[in-house]
Amino acid sequence: SQTIHQWPATLVQPVGSPLSLECTVEGTSNPNLYWYRQAAGRGLQLLFYSVGIGQISSEVPQNLSASRPQDRQFILSSKKLLLSDSGFYLCAWSRPMYQETQYFGPGTRLLVL
Amino acid sequence: GESVGLHLPTLSVQEGDNSIINCAYSNSASDYFIWYKQESGKGPQFIIDIRSNMDKRQGQRVTVLLNKTVKHLSLQIAATQPGDSAVYFCADQFYFGTGTSLTVIP
């Protein structure tokens, strides 16, 4: 069976500090991978998606970047965090086909102070 | 960008009653929709999906209806239980609505 891991679960960072959130998937090959952000009481906003190693598509201009160094590893980064980067970050995977549901990780709650 | 939205931010139902959660979308080309359930502090969990060549799909205690004419879909939960309390999102593939918070009253 497939599993998806995210860490850390929670993170408190000062403004201007760097960020690295990691997501890994087990039990599947060549998944599509996604990063979402969820503000408090809001829906999910798609930030990045990837269909393969080194292939990253950005949905919205922002202070964040993503990388996919390995098939089942997806990293969300920032060089300098802003207060507005606070939120709940969710990683998801789907099978590499059109119209496939996504399976979400447990999320990372980030608070930038 | 965002092309789906939910009609009501909150919904309260009595345990045992049926729940109906509504969602509207704007993109006529949308052809795949998913309903997710999100419990507090957790990631969304897949409930049921529907493709545009269908107008109804049933799962265990859940039914999704799709009306392409008015660009509307709904999630019906039969015999709602306390464990159904959560936020429910409809999604147009990757784009999520704002969610409806369902509270089940014992």
Side-chain angles (χ1 to χ4, degrees):
Chain A
S1 64
Q2 300 86 9
T3 56
I4 179 169
H5 304 278
Q6 282 186 251
W7 64 92
T10 60
L11 190 60
V12 180
Q13 291 284 101
V15 169
S17 65
L19 174 73
S20 181
L21 302 181
E22 189 160 345
C23 171
T24 58
V25 180
E26 296 176 357
T28 188
S29 296
N30 195 31
N32 291 341
L33 296 173
Y34 311 85
W35 277 113
Y36 287 85
R37 176 170 55 206
Q38 185 175 31
R42 303 287 299 275
L44 281 70
Q45 180 186 35
L46 180 63
L47 301 175
F48 300 96
Y49 67 92
S50 171
V51 298
I53 295 174
Q55 301 178 63
I56 309 294
S57 296
S58 175
E59 282 291 300
V60 294
Q62 58 200 297
N63 183 42
L64 303 168
S65 62
S67 61
R68 185 170 177 174
Q70 300 181 47
D71 181 45
R72 289 168 288 177
Q73 183 185 30
F74 206 23
I75 297 172
L76 185 69
S77 304
S78 174
K79 292 181 179 178
K80 285 187 177 182
L81 283 168
L82 305 172
L83 287 173
S84 58
D85 292 323
S86 294
F88 190 41
Y89 288 84
L90 290 152
C91 181
W93 74 273
S94 70
R95 293 182 178 83
M97 291 174 281
Y98 181 60
Q99 291 187 347
E100 286 291 326
T101 192
Q102 294 165 64
Y103 300 93
F104 286 83
T108 293
R109 192 162 300 280
L110 172 66
L111 179 60
V112 183
L113 300 174
Chain B
E2 186 174 327
S3 63
V4 291
L6 281 155
H7 289 182
L8 290 173
T10 61
L11 177 66
S12 294
V13 298
Q14 289 290 138
E15 182 178 357
D17 287 351
N18 297 334
S19 303
I20 299 176
I21 301 172
N22 295 300
C23 182
Y25 62 96
S26 58
N27 186 355
S28 299
S30 298
D31 57 5
Y32 180 56
F33 302 93
I34 312 126
W35 281 98
Y36 292 92
K37 172 186 179 182
Q38 186 178 27
E39 297 175 329
S40 181
K42 297 183 179 180
Q45 179 183 15
F46 170 83
I47 302 173
I48 193 167
D49 60 0
I50 189 166
R51 288 173 167 76
S52 60
N53 61 350
M54 305 170 70
D55 53 21
K56 180 179 180 179
R57 191 167 187 210
Q58 289 184 289
Q60 187 176 15
R61 283 202 304 121
V62 294
T63 301
V64 55
L65 300 177
L66 175 62
N67 185 330
K68 293 179 287 294
T69 303
V70 295
K71 298 199 278 285
H72 178 273
L73 66 158
S74 66
L75 177 71
Q76 300 178 5
I77 305 173
T80 314
Q81 302 169 0
D84 294 326
S85 293
V87 178
Y88 290 82
F89 294 96
C90 63
D92 169 4
Q93 188 74 59
F94 313 123
Y95 303 106
F96 283 66
T98 52
T100 290
S101 178
L102 174 66
T103 300
V104 180
I105 303 166

